Amino acid sequence: MERKIYLKKMVLDRALELYLSRLKEAGFFEPKTQKVKVGEAIDRVLARAIFALRSVPHYNSAAVDGIAVRSSDTVQASKHAPKRLNREQFMIVNTGQPMPEGFDAVIMIEDVHFLEDGSVEIFEPVPTFHNVRTIGEDAVEYDMLFCRYHRLTPQDLALLLAAGVFEVEVLKNLECAVVPTGDEIVDPSSELKEGFIPETNSVLVKTFLEKLGVAVRVLDPVGDDPEKLASTLQGLLPAYDLVLFIGGSSAGRKDFVYRALEKLGEIVAHGLSIRPGKPTVLAIVEKKPVIGLPGFPASCFTVLERVVKPVVEAWYHQSDSAEDFLIAECATRIFSSAGDDEFVRVALAKVKDRYVCIPLKRGAATISSLTKMDGVLVVPRGQEVIDEGEKVEVRLLATKKRIDNTLLFVGSNDPLIDRLSDLLIERGVRLSVVNVGSLGGVKAIAKSHAHLAGIHLFDSESETYNLPFLKKMLNGFVLVKFAKRLQGLVVQKGNPKSIRTLQDLVRKDVRFVNRQKASGTRILLDYYLSKLGIEPRQINGYENEELTHMSVALKVKRGLADAGLAVAYVAQLMDLDFVPLCWEEYDLLILPEFLNDERFQTIFDVMTSSDFRNVVFQCSGYDISDLGKIVEEDESK
Amino acid sequence: MERKIYLKKMVLDRALELYLSRLKEAGFFEPKTQKVKVGEAIDRVLARAIFALRSVPHYNSAAVDGIAVRSSDTVQASKHAPKRLNREQFMIVNTGQPMPEGFDAVIMIEDVHFLEDGSVEIFEPVPTFHNVRTIGEDAVEYDMLFCRYHRLTPQDLALLLAAGVFEVEVLKNLECAVVPTGDEIVDPSSELKEGFIPETNSVLVKTFLEKLGVAVRVLDPVGDDPEKLASTLQGLLPAYDLVLFIGGSSAGRKDFVYRALEKLGEIVAHGLSIRPGKPTVLAIVEKKPVIGLPGFPASCFTVLERVVKPVVEAWYHQSDSAEDFLIAECATRIFSSAGDDEFVRVALAKVKDRYVCIPLKRGAATISSLTKMDGVLVVPRGQEVIDEGEKVEVRLLATKKRIDNTLLFVGSNDPLIDRLSDLLIERGVRLSVVNVGSLGGVKAIAKSHAHLAGIHLFDSESETYNLPFLKKMLNGFVLVKFAKRLQGLVVQKGNPKSIRTLQDLVRKDVRFVNRQKASGTRILLDYYLSKLGIEPRQINGYENEELTHMSVALKVKRGLADAGLAVAYVAQLMDLDFVPLCWEEYDLLILPEFLNDERFQTIFDVMTSSDFRNVVFQCSGYDISDLGKIVEEDESK
């Protein structure tokens, strides 16, 4: 069986540098130009320097409403000894009016005293050109207005028109063709079967590139067929400056794009030492860049940002795109492979006057972390660990203002928290919700790595929630009671196997679906089983684990299991039957200092508002009778 | 005669706060929504929270190419004691393939040893879900994906499609009508007569607003007629959310827009205590914002940024637009009126490890300073002076990267410097050229407020240029010889009045045009006149001053004068005759530390390149035989 081999696998910087220089040698960055009307030239890049064709302004004019005078006539005028000017010594002018021949200054109307006999009094001397807009003051005919490769702004367009320039030569827009590949790729709107993947990369690639000024055409997906891929490329190259294939670039058995490019052109790099983003092919075919992007969304996005964007910027001869960074304290320990640069997507917030970053899902396949991230931190190759609490440099993808306005919510999540965050937006508070589990939440608050945490920790000794743990783990805490959630058995609609108690799980005809070890729900199950003296091995499917309430319910919904333990709400969502077992308490642990933050008051107000209660009442299995009660414990007292 | 009066003149913050709250009361910010396809929803703002309609991924799948196994079968496997799995204990799976029923983990193909008999060896145990993409891992059906008022990014669109959301409800785009006003306003492409002003604001307003997601329609200019303005507005209000008038908002005789708005609606503010931007009207007509923008470009831009943009952001419920600041040392003293907040446009650069800002032209009428600015500093009302060398906070309008890459060129300018900067762009060096005069240039270098300065300082005692001044003014300097410029008399084409020497200027039939006092050229003229024993009063037009070489030449070109003193180059540009007088030396004074900056080497290379020489050879009246000679003097030696 074939082993994976990346030919020419390279570190990112080296690969990019080499790729850009090879493209330069191929003449790819030689400016290709076109003429456009100034009115349509916004954001376009000038191909060459532009010179004024007329002076701005094109005549000497009054800069204010007032009287035109000769500065020499105004000497020695003062508040105490005003100077009188006769009808021949001044002329009334309005803003923009040409300066009358022989006059060289203007006195504002406010500073003029008009007398009965038609003469005026003035109260201070004025120098030549005072309040006069002189010809060419703004730009002089033949002046160079802009250098080559300048990107035109709104105000630039105004100056060009003022200077008599109505058409400019600009760099031709980069035209790019995008080709999704893979037999498993299907239209997202189609009925999805297992084994098929909705094609969601092309919209990402298209809109990402359009923001960079690239004209993009997306083709229909092409299957895993090197011949077809090759002929597609040959058809596109004459018409496009850049061709991007998505997927099929990984090494090994499915590396069809690589095989096609290998035949037609030069492979500059095959495989990059980055995560995500490794399965990338950088090729040059017919002197044009052809790139095989990875199919996993996070990988695709990383290569777009780190490889495709620089190529586009080089085409437009732009080198100063904004990249802002800030130093943040890393909330969790990160392990990374020594061989690769890893790009870790993070959520950012300001907690107690320093920035904190929390790594989001790191999988290459995740899209959600791309939508949630506020920034990216790089774990450079050679470094295997970033310690919890370590200061790291994070590249910003959100504005600092947005981050400063963000509250970090960690721990175990509940659908109600999302609904709460939606209501908070109206009040100008942004909640960034990151799941790290209940214990992770307690730890984060203990280390001041978040503003608030959602927790539901069952203590089997006292058979109560949260408080026993908090007393053990923290010296002093602030807990805000949130909601009781009904836990129970999710079963088929109509409960065909009439499952009534946990006892029924040992029946041979009942297939159970379990939650993963250490999850709150799993701990709860094992507690009840031991109380009932039921052995795990007696339960058919006990070892069959899922990661979320929802995936447990889905298994049941799809008939892959008959029962699973989850909260009532998911049964309602999925229209399944539900056998109540017990209420668990889901509460909010608050960073003590945050209690005095006005934004906490906002959260509290919204949480206890009728708007929020109305939301809760639509969700079954919640009891919010204690909502808003604050349990405070301060060891120092 | 009517005096200027602003009713309701207000400080900016108060006016904006009041305007926004009055618009809120009028219900203007109540979300108006529309449905759009996800593929077309880039940058649109969600009207309400969006929930996943299917789980992402929608099934459990292999995350890598490898073999599916039961984690329980893998325990105790190790490098030294590999564990053998028979045909029943594993299945080969490819990335994305559904997990075969009963298997719960995947081992990467690289880590599997395939044996002859079809069994395999593995070398380490794997936990459940190892290398498995579990159903709903990325997003679970019914999960809230985005809050209301979230602005959609490329990756957001990908997630929406993956989660089965193909259409979203977004906030309707703000629709804006722009009406230029004023009898003096004409089409920029028309033949411009004195007293008429090209209409260049609408393109600025249109493109500025389009970048904020506003749909803009620009109407033909309307004259200074309150009735016409009122009827125009009444025609527009039903169809547009926002109406902007440009010009005619100043107080006093020409305040036509104000008069029209006063009749039709509520005036919230008339006149703002800002410079530029004072002549602004903020009104509400039929519950919609109607704004009278100032006609001067810099004023118009300031009000766009400080008033219109916040209104647009409130419409889209966005509050976190990026505003970056940096602390810079102010290179020149700034005087400002105590009554107003003044927005001063500045050029920025990093000189000797701290940022320096140089104020650009401050007139409200200037467009060029809008195109040159890297940032804006505010001189708050109540403060009348910012001292030279004072640290100020500057709001950035360029990226830090661009500013760090900028070299500050000050002093007296010459067309060749612009051409040099155009060539430097190819080498990645950006030259920001700010005219402060020769003496200003020397002072800037002395204070390390610039990297290099262009100077031509004539010393009448020694009758030489630059060095005498530098020796007097600096202890130690680095001067790079640049070009000799030919000064002389610019006269009509064909020299009809046969002007041959300065002596001819005293002829009664010769009308002279002079340069302003203290300009290098004026000093030169006075020096030669005194040598020849000619009295200024003997010269017809001596008191007739212009500010630039070019405007002197223009006066001659237009027959308003017969002769003026200027450099030969402008005579060539304007196709006039030229009577040589003398060569002046225009040299580059370098910040000593900058000599060791590799960017100086780049400048030196380009300056002495054949490309640049070819440029110079096209311009008459330049002698660059000494170009590049370095004159260094170090007092400390």
Side-chain angles (χ1 to χ4, degrees):
Chain A
M1 143 145 215
E2 219 179 292
R3 300 274 281 101
K4 289 194 186 192
I5 301 150
Y6 283 103
L7 305 112
K8 305 188 173 189
K9 184 182 169 195
M10 263 187 246
V11 303
L12 178 62
D13 298 351
R14 173 80 188 108
L16 183 57
E17 185 190 350
L18 183 64
Y19 196 45
L20 290 175
S21 68
R22 291 289 299 113
L23 285 167
K24 193 160 193 277
E25 288 159 29
F28 179 68
F29 298 124
E30 296 299 320
K32 306 179 187 43
T33 73
Q34 72 181 105
K35 286 209 158 83
V36 295
K37 289 206 161 28
V38 165
E40 284 126 38
I42 186 66
D43 291 332
R44 298 301 296 266
V45 176
L46 291 172
R48 59 195 76 266
I50 301 286
F51 298 83
L53 298 181
R54 68 181 169 214
S55 297
V56 185
H58 57 291
Y59 62 98
N60 289 336
S61 62
V64 296
D65 296 348
I67 59 169
V69 298
R70 292 178 198 79
S71 63
S72 51
D73 293 342
T74 67
V75 288
Q76 279 146 17
S78 76
K79 290 257 169 305
H80 317 295
K83 191 150 187 186
R84 182 178 286 228
L85 300 181
N86 64 42
R87 283 205 183 76
E88 285 63 45
Q89 291 177 295
F90 74 90
M91 275 184 67
I92 288 173
V93 287
N94 293 335
T95 309
Q97 229 174 354
M99 282 301 286
E101 201 53 36
F103 293 95
D104 59 17
V106 175
I107 299 175
M108 283 180 99
I109 206 78
E110 291 93 318
D111 305 331
V112 179
H113 180 213
F114 291 84
L115 301 170
E116 293 307 326
D117 63 3
S119 66
V120 296
E121 280 185 333
I122 57 167
F123 306 90
E124 58 177 3
V126 290
T128 3
F129 298 111
H130 182 70
N131 287 330
V132 173
R133 285 198 69 207
T134 57
I135 184 169
E137 171 184 291
D138 211 9
V140 173
E141 208 174 346
Y142 308 106
D143 264 357
M144 192 177 85
L145 299 177
F146 304 105
C147 294
R148 70 188 68 180
Y149 306 149
H150 173 74
R151 196 183 277 278
L152 292 169
T153 66
Q155 53 268 41
D156 295 342
L157 303 185
L159 180 60
L160 287 169
L161 293 180
V165 180
F166 308 120
E167 191 180 63
V168 286
E169 190 171 359
V170 298
L171 298 181
K172 177 178 155 303
N173 275 338
L174 183 67
E175 291 182 56
C176 170
V178 176
V179 188
T181 75
D183 294 333
E184 74 283 15
I185 294 302
V186 296
D187 181 333
S189 62
S190 64
E191 173 64 49
L192 292 185
K193 301 190 189 56
E194 291 202 353
F196 290 91
I197 296 167
E199 198 290 290
T200 59
N201 282 320
S202 60
V203 70
L204 165 61
V205 174
K206 180 173 191 288
T207 50
F208 181 94
L209 290 177
E210 282 172 346
K211 282 170 163 289
L212 298 178
V214 178
V216 182
R217 179 187 155 208
V218 176
L219 281 78
D220 292 333
V222 175
D224 294 324
D225 169 355
E227 300 313 316
K228 185 74 167 52
L229 290 166
S231 60
T232 305
L233 177 58
Q234 284 165 315
L236 291 169
L237 278 171
Y240 294 91
D241 307 300
L242 166 67
V243 177
L244 302 176
F245 288 98
I246 308 174
S249 304
S250 69
R253 280 159 302 117
K254 290 174 66 196
D255 195 3
F256 300 107
V257 168
Y258 170 75
R259 295 189 212 166
L261 297 183
E262 191 180 31
K263 283 201 195 66
L264 298 174
E266 171 197 8
I267 305 283
V268 176
H270 179 215
L272 300 174
S273 311
I274 55 172
R275 293 189 181 189
K278 187 190 304 265
T280 300
V281 184
L282 306 182
I284 299 177
V285 184
E286 291 172 25
K287 303 186 167 182
K288 292 176 177 179
V290 179
I291 298 177
L293 296 170
F296 277 142
S299 311
C300 182
F301 186 83
T302 305
V303 178
L304 274 177
E305 267 202 316
R306 298 286 113 190
V307 178
V308 180
K309 191 176 177 210
V311 170
V312 172
E313 284 173 342
W315 168 275
Y316 287 114
H317 295 263
Q318 302 299 301
S319 59
D320 51 14
S321 68
E323 290 216 328
D324 288 343
F325 297 84
L326 59 70
I327 302 300
E329 196 170 309
C330 195
T332 61
R333 187 167 233 229
I334 302 176
F335 294 95
S336 178
S337 96
D340 298 323
D341 297 315
E342 179 168 4
F343 296 85
V344 180
R345 301 170 288 284
V346 299
L348 281 163
K350 196 171 193 178
V351 187
K352 284 172 74 177
D353 300 327
R354 91 286 200 212
Y355 291 98
V356 171
C357 69
I358 299 191
L360 301 169
K361 283 183 205 139
R362 284 161 69 188
T366 169
I367 312 178
S368 60
S369 67
L370 291 176
T371 68
K372 281 203 174 77
M373 66 180 163
D374 300 311
V376 174
L377 76 83
V378 179
V379 187
R381 58 190 182 285
Q383 182 173 355
E384 286 180 300
V385 182
I386 287 179
D387 273 323
E388 175 191 316
E390 190 173 330
K391 297 273 183 214
V392 289
E393 188 181 54
V394 179
R395 176 165 56 91
L396 292 182
L397 293 169
T399 66
K400 245 204 188 78
K401 193 171 173 188
R402 179 188 177 92
I403 289 162
D404 291 346
N405 185 33
T406 295
L407 296 179
L408 212 41
F409 181 102
V410 298
S412 164
N413 189 19
D414 181 275
L416 293 184
I417 298 300
D418 295 328
R419 306 302 298 274
L420 181 65
S421 70
D422 179 45
L423 293 175
L424 281 169
I425 289 287
E426 285 279 12
R427 304 283 299 270
V429 173
R430 176 179 175 241
L431 213 59
S432 180
V433 179
V434 184
N435 296 346
V436 298
S438 291
L439 282 170
V442 177
K443 224 177 89 205
I445 295 297
K447 305 225 171 211
S448 304
H449 282 156
H451 297 93
L452 59 172
I455 61 171
H456 54 110
L457 291 161
F458 178 70
D459 175 57
S460 50
E461 285 174 28
S462 62
E463 300 193 351
T464 62
Y465 277 86
N466 300 333
L467 290 177
F469 281 85
L470 298 179
K471 290 189 167 135
K472 256 177 275 164
M473 296 171 70
L474 305 170
N475 15 352
F477 59 84
V478 179
L479 190 74
V480 178
K481 300 299 290 178
F482 192 68
K484 295 198 185 66
R485 310 193 298 189
L486 186 57
Q487 284 266 17
L489 291 172
V490 177
V491 299
Q492 306 287 349
K493 182 81 170 168
N495 196 358
K497 298 209 168 163
S498 57
I499 296 159
R500 307 261 171 260
T501 69
L502 287 177
Q503 212 67 53
D504 292 321
L505 297 183
V506 302
R507 278 161 43 189
K508 285 283 145 286
D509 65 327
V510 173
R511 294 162 306 155
F512 184 68
V513 53
N514 205 349
R515 286 291 305 283
Q516 82 279 14
K517 297 171 194 65
S519 67
T521 306
R522 171 72 165 261
I523 291 165
L524 197 67
L525 175 76
D526 294 345
Y527 165 75
Y528 279 104
L529 292 181
S530 66
K531 265 180 80 171
L532 295 166
I534 300 174
E535 291 290 322
R537 56 172 172 67
Q538 298 175 258
I539 297 174
N540 167 17
Y542 179 90
E543 68 294 332
N544 177 2
E545 298 179 341
E546 289 292 336
L547 281 176
T548 66
H549 293 267
M550 191 62 72
S551 46
V552 162
L554 263 175
K555 276 266 164 129
V556 174
K557 180 88 176 175
R558 295 192 183 173
L560 299 171
D562 303 306
L565 191 58
V567 292
Y569 183 53
V570 300
Q572 176 195 18
L573 284 177
M574 298 223 172
D575 188 28
L576 294 164
D577 277 17
F578 185 76
V579 182
L581 179 65
C582 66
W583 289 92
E584 72 173 1
E585 297 177 30
Y586 180 93
D587 300 324
L588 307 183
L589 181 63
I590 309 293
L591 185 70
E593 294 79 357
F594 182 56
L595 206 55
N596 311 317
D597 188 318
E598 65 181 6
R599 294 173 299 178
F600 171 75
Q601 196 52 53
T602 307
I603 292 178
F604 192 85
D605 296 345
V606 172
M607 195 163 84
T608 52
S609 69
S610 55
D611 283 4
F612 184 63
R613 287 178 182 279
N614 294 338
V615 167
V616 177
F617 293 149
Q618 295 156 21
C619 311
S620 69
Y622 286 102
D623 168 358
I624 54 171
S625 47
D626 290 345
L627 181 91
K629 284 193 188 144
I630 298 185
V631 186
E632 211 166 338
E633 183 156 306
D634 187 345
E635 282 293 309
S636 59
K637 281 183 194 148
Chain B
M1 143 143 220
E2 220 179 294
R3 298 275 282 104
K4 292 194 183 192
I5 301 151
Y6 283 104
L7 303 111
K8 303 188 174 187
K9 185 181 170 197
M10 266 188 241
V11 304
L12 178 63
D13 297 352
R14 173 80 189 108
L16 183 58
E17 184 189 351
L18 184 64
Y19 196 44
L20 290 174
S21 67
R22 290 288 301 111
L23 284 168
K24 192 161 196 270
E25 288 158 30
F28 179 67
F29 298 124
E30 296 299 318
K32 302 174 190 48
T33 74
Q34 71 181 106
K35 288 211 158 82
V36 295
K37 290 208 156 34
V38 165
E40 284 127 37
I42 187 66
D43 290 331
R44 297 303 294 268
V45 176
L46 291 173
R48 58 195 77 265
I50 302 285
F51 298 84
L53 298 183
R54 68 181 170 214
S55 297
V56 184
H58 57 291
Y59 62 98
N60 288 337
S61 62
V64 297
D65 297 348
I67 59 170
V69 297
R70 289 177 201 80
S71 61
S72 51
D73 293 343
T74 68
V75 288
Q76 279 146 18
S78 76
K79 292 257 170 303
H80 317 293
K83 190 150 187 184
R84 184 178 284 229
L85 300 181
N86 64 43
R87 283 205 184 77
E88 286 63 43
Q89 293 176 293
F90 74 91
M91 275 184 67
I92 289 176
V93 286
N94 292 335
T95 308
Q97 236 173 38
M99 284 299 288
E101 203 49 42
F103 293 94
D104 59 18
V106 175
I107 298 173
M108 283 181 98
I109 207 75
E110 291 93 317
D111 305 331
V112 178
H113 179 212
F114 290 84
L115 301 170
E116 294 306 325
D117 64 3
S119 67
V120 296
E121 278 184 333
I122 58 169
F123 306 89
E124 57 178 3
V126 290
T128 6
F129 298 111
H130 182 71
N131 287 331
V132 173
R133 286 198 69 205
T134 58
I135 183 168
E137 170 184 291
D138 211 8
V140 173
E141 208 174 345
Y142 308 104
D143 263 357
M144 192 178 85
L145 300 177
F146 303 104
C147 293
R148 70 189 66 179
Y149 305 150
H150 173 74
R151 197 183 275 279
L152 291 169
T153 66
Q155 53 268 39
D156 295 342
L157 304 186
L159 180 60
L160 286 169
L161 293 180
V165 180
F166 308 119
E167 190 179 64
V168 286
E169 191 171 0
V170 298
L171 298 181
K172 178 178 156 301
N173 275 338
L174 183 67
E175 291 182 57
C176 171
V178 177
V179 188
T181 75
D183 294 332
E184 74 283 15
I185 295 300
V186 295
D187 181 332
S189 62
S190 64
E191 171 65 47
L192 292 185
K193 299 185 192 56
E194 292 202 352
F196 290 91
I197 297 167
E199 199 291 289
T200 59
N201 282 319
S202 61
V203 69
L204 165 61
V205 174
K206 181 172 191 288
T207 51
F208 180 94
L209 290 177
E210 282 171 346
K211 283 171 163 289
L212 299 177
V214 178
V216 182
R217 178 186 156 209
V218 176
L219 282 78
D220 292 333
V222 175
D224 294 324
D225 170 355
E227 301 314 316
K228 185 73 169 54
L229 290 166
S231 60
T232 304
L233 178 57
Q234 284 165 318
L236 291 169
L237 278 171
Y240 295 90
D241 307 301
L242 166 67
V243 177
L244 301 176
F245 289 97
I246 309 175
S249 305
S250 71
R253 281 158 304 119
K254 291 175 66 193
D255 196 2
F256 300 109
V257 167
Y258 170 76
R259 295 189 210 167
L261 297 183
E262 191 179 32
K263 283 201 196 65
L264 298 174
E266 173 197 7
I267 305 284
V268 177
H270 179 215
L272 301 175
S273 311
I274 55 172
R275 292 189 182 190
K278 186 188 305 258
T280 299
V281 184
L282 306 183
I284 298 176
V285 184
E286 291 172 24
K287 302 186 169 184
K288 292 176 176 178
V290 179
I291 298 176
L293 297 170
F296 277 143
S299 311
C300 182
F301 186 84
T302 305
V303 178
L304 275 177
E305 266 201 316
R306 298 285 111 189
V307 178
V308 181
K309 191 176 177 212
V311 170
V312 172
E313 285 172 342
W315 168 275
Y316 288 114
H317 295 263
Q318 302 299 300
S319 60
D320 52 13
S321 68
E323 290 215 329
D324 287 344
F325 297 83
L326 61 70
I327 302 300
E329 195 170 311
C330 195
T332 62
R333 185 166 236 230
I334 302 175
F335 294 94
S336 178
S337 98
D340 298 324
D341 297 316
E342 180 170 3
F343 296 85
V344 180
R345 302 170 288 285
V346 300
L348 282 163
K350 196 172 195 178
V351 187
K352 285 173 74 177
D353 300 328
R354 77 341 190 171
Y355 290 98
V356 172
C357 70
I358 299 190
L360 301 169
K361 283 183 206 137
R362 286 161 68 188
T366 169
I367 312 178
S368 60
S369 66
L370 292 176
T371 67
K372 282 203 172 80
M373 65 180 165
D374 300 312
V376 173
L377 77 83
V378 179
V379 187
R381 59 189 181 284
Q383 182 172 355
E384 286 179 300
V385 181
I386 286 178
D387 275 321
E388 176 192 314
E390 191 174 329
K391 297 274 184 209
V392 290
E393 189 182 53
V394 180
R395 177 166 54 90
L396 293 182
L397 293 169
T399 65
K400 247 209 187 74
K401 191 172 174 188
R402 179 188 178 92
I403 290 161
D404 292 345
N405 184 35
T406 295
L407 296 178
L408 212 42
F409 181 101
V410 298
S412 165
N413 189 19
D414 182 275
L416 292 185
I417 298 301
D418 295 328
R419 305 301 299 273
L420 181 66
S421 70
D422 179 44
L423 292 174
L424 281 169
I425 289 288
E426 285 279 14
R427 303 283 299 270
V429 173
R430 178 181 174 239
L431 213 58
S432 180
V433 179
V434 184
N435 295 347
V436 297
S438 291
L439 283 170
V442 177
K443 224 177 89 202
I445 294 298
K447 305 224 172 211
S448 303
H449 281 156
H451 297 92
L452 58 173
I455 61 171
H456 53 110
L457 291 161
F458 178 69
D459 175 58
S460 47
E461 285 173 29
S462 61
E463 301 193 351
T464 64
Y465 278 86
N466 300 331
L467 289 177
F469 282 85
L470 297 180
K471 290 187 166 134
K472 258 176 273 166
M473 297 171 69
L474 305 170
N475 6 334
F477 59 83
V478 180
L479 190 75
V480 178
K481 301 299 289 177
F482 191 69
K484 294 197 185 65
R485 308 194 298 189
L486 187 55
Q487 284 266 17
L489 292 173
V490 176
V491 298
Q492 306 288 346
K493 180 82 170 167
N495 197 358
K497 299 209 167 165
S498 55
I499 296 158
R500 307 262 172 262
T501 68
L502 288 176
Q503 212 66 51
D504 293 319
L505 298 183
V506 304
R507 281 161 41 193
K508 284 285 146 284
D509 65 328
V510 173
R511 294 161 307 153
F512 184 68
V513 53
N514 205 349
R515 284 291 305 283
Q516 82 278 16
K517 298 170 194 65
S519 67
T521 306
R522 172 73 164 259
I523 291 165
L524 197 67
L525 175 76
D526 294 345
Y527 164 76
Y528 279 104
L529 293 180
S530 65
K531 263 180 80 171
L532 297 164
I534 300 173
E535 291 290 321
R537 56 172 173 65
Q538 298 175 259
I539 297 175
N540 169 15
Y542 179 90
E543 65 295 331
N544 179 1
E545 298 179 341
E546 291 291 336
L547 281 175
T548 67
H549 292 266
M550 191 62 72
S551 46
V552 163
L554 264 176
K555 275 269 162 125
V556 175
K557 179 90 176 172
R558 294 191 184 173
L560 300 170
D562 303 307
L565 191 58
V567 293
Y569 183 52
V570 298
Q572 177 195 19
L573 285 177
M574 298 221 173
D575 188 27
L576 294 164
D577 276 19
F578 185 77
V579 182
L581 179 65
C582 66
W583 290 90
E584 70 174 2
E585 297 177 31
Y586 181 94
D587 300 324
L588 307 183
L589 181 63
I590 308 293
L591 184 72
E593 294 80 356
F594 182 55
L595 205 56
N596 311 318
D597 188 317
E598 65 181 5
R599 293 173 300 177
F600 171 74
Q601 196 51 52
T602 307
I603 292 177
F604 192 85
D605 295 346
V606 172
M607 194 162 83
T608 52
S609 69
S610 56
D611 282 3
F612 184 63
R613 288 179 180 278
N614 293 338
V615 168
V616 177
F617 293 149
Q618 295 155 20
C619 312
S620 68
Y622 286 103
D623 169 358
I624 52 172
S625 47
D626 290 346
L627 181 85
K629 285 194 186 145
I630 297 184
V631 186
E632 210 166 340
E633 182 155 307
D634 187 347
E635 283 293 308
S636 59
K637 280 182 193 150

